[in-house]
Amino acid sequence: MPAYELIIPPELDGSTIRRAATGVLGLSSRQFKRCKFQGEMRLDGMLVHADARLRAGQRLWLYAPDTPIDYPVVKCRSNSYYLDRMFNRKQNPAGTLFIDMRNLPDFDDPNTLIYGHHMRDGSMFHSLTDYDAPGFYDAHPFMLAVSETEIYLIEVFAGYVTTSKDHCYDIAISDEQDMRAFVEEAQRKSDFASHVEIDCGADRLVTLSTCAYNFENARYVVIGRLATMWEGE
């Protein structure tokens, strides 16, 4: 069986990893206890995967602890197809979270965009707009994205109301200078301050976008630094 390396950032504790393994990967508490951490947190001899959470055609599963965000994420050739369809393609006004059609797969772009509806019942990306409330960021500083072979940590560093013309909707960030301008603009507009450090020459970003109702055609975006947390060899 393949070995998986668990790379734990210093700000995450064991209980967070347990929630990720049992809640996202579908491991039972008993299975999690059988994982033996050796050396640099290496899990050997145990197949750990997200197949139970993933379906054909889905790119990944997005999970934000202690929020309703716990959904599949899809990608296709249209940015409108999944606006009113579930991941199984059945009609549903809540739609499905989806990656921008312009993006390359597997977070290969400097900035990957993920869209979702702001549902009034609190589902889908409704809770993104909670980042404008005092204290919400402190309680929800990260999210997890699970693919078939990796777990990514999304370290949130900015969230704000904007329009579809914002720099955050740019995928083709040309160089380090352009990335620095992107990051500094997002930090300046953000509803909260974070201590996430961005390497503008190497890091990749994820921008989560939903509708907002502050003004006509308003958007609320949450932007995070992407880091590989757990990967199969």
Side-chain angles (χ1 to χ4, degrees):
M1 290 185 178
Y4 284 76
E5 184 177 2
L6 183 59
I7 305 167
I8 303 181
E11 66 271 20
L12 300 184
D13 58 21
S15 62
T16 300
I17 301 305
R18 178 185 294 273
R19 290 199 303 273
T22 58
V24 180
L25 294 177
L27 296 180
S28 67
S29 295
R30 183 176 181 181
Q31 287 175 315
F32 182 78
K33 290 178 181 178
R34 288 171 56 197
C35 296
K36 295 182 179 179
F37 297 93
Q38 300 174 354
E40 297 181 357
M41 306 305 290
R42 178 172 294 277
L43 294 177
D44 292 313
M46 183 174 183
L47 181 62
V48 182
H49 58 81
D51 288 347
R53 289 282 185 171
L54 301 174
R55 299 291 185 271
Q58 295 175 19
R59 309 305 304 185
L60 72 155
W61 196 280
L62 184 65
Y63 172 64
D66 301 319
T67 79
I69 297 176
D70 187 9
Y71 300 112
V73 181
V74 296
K75 186 178 186 296
C76 72
R77 297 178 181 179
S78 168
N79 278 353
S80 60
Y81 184 82
Y82 282 104
L83 287 175
D84 57 0
R85 289 179 175 86
M86 299 174 65
F87 66 86
N88 59 9
R89 301 185 180 184
K90 292 184 178 180
Q91 293 285 330
N92 189 298
T96 303
L97 306 186
F98 63 92
I99 297 173
D100 194 293
M101 60 180 286
R102 299 171 296 166
N103 275 121
L104 295 170
D106 303 321
F107 298 113
D108 289 335
D109 286 307
N111 182 35
T112 296
L113 285 158
I114 301 178
Y115 303 98
H117 284 309
H118 178 222
M119 301 302 291
R120 296 185 185 277
D121 64 0
S123 63
M124 306 310 289
F125 269 178
H126 177 103
S127 56
L128 291 187
T129 58
D130 291 336
Y131 277 95
D132 69 355
F136 189 84
Y137 167 74
D138 293 331
H140 305 84
F142 70 92
M143 300 183 191
L144 300 172
V146 181
S147 74
E148 292 179 320
T149 58
E150 297 180 83
I151 299 179
Y152 299 95
L153 181 72
I154 301 174
E155 298 178 279
V156 175
F157 70 87
Y160 56 92
V161 176
T162 188
T163 71
S164 60
K165 303 298 184 181
D166 194 281
H167 195 11
C168 71
Y169 290 99
D170 293 339
I171 289 171
I173 298 174
S174 58
D175 53 27
E176 183 174 346
Q177 183 177 355
D178 193 19
M179 174 66 85
R180 182 169 291 105
F182 180 116
V183 170
E184 290 177 352
E185 179 182 347
Q187 291 172 327
R188 185 173 62 254
K189 294 178 177 179
S190 182
D191 291 324
F192 52 84
S194 81
H195 299 290
V196 177
E197 296 184 1
I198 309 297
D199 181 346
C200 295
D203 283 341
R204 294 169 292 166
L205 306 180
V206 177
T207 298
L208 312 177
S209 174
T210 194
C211 293
Y213 302 105
N214 304 68
F215 51 84
E216 187 175 0
N217 295 323
R219 303 286 188 271
Y220 198 90
V221 294
V222 172
I223 308 174
R225 171 186 176 272
L226 188 74
T228 301
M229 176 178 162
W230 195 339
E231 61 182 354
E233 294 181 341

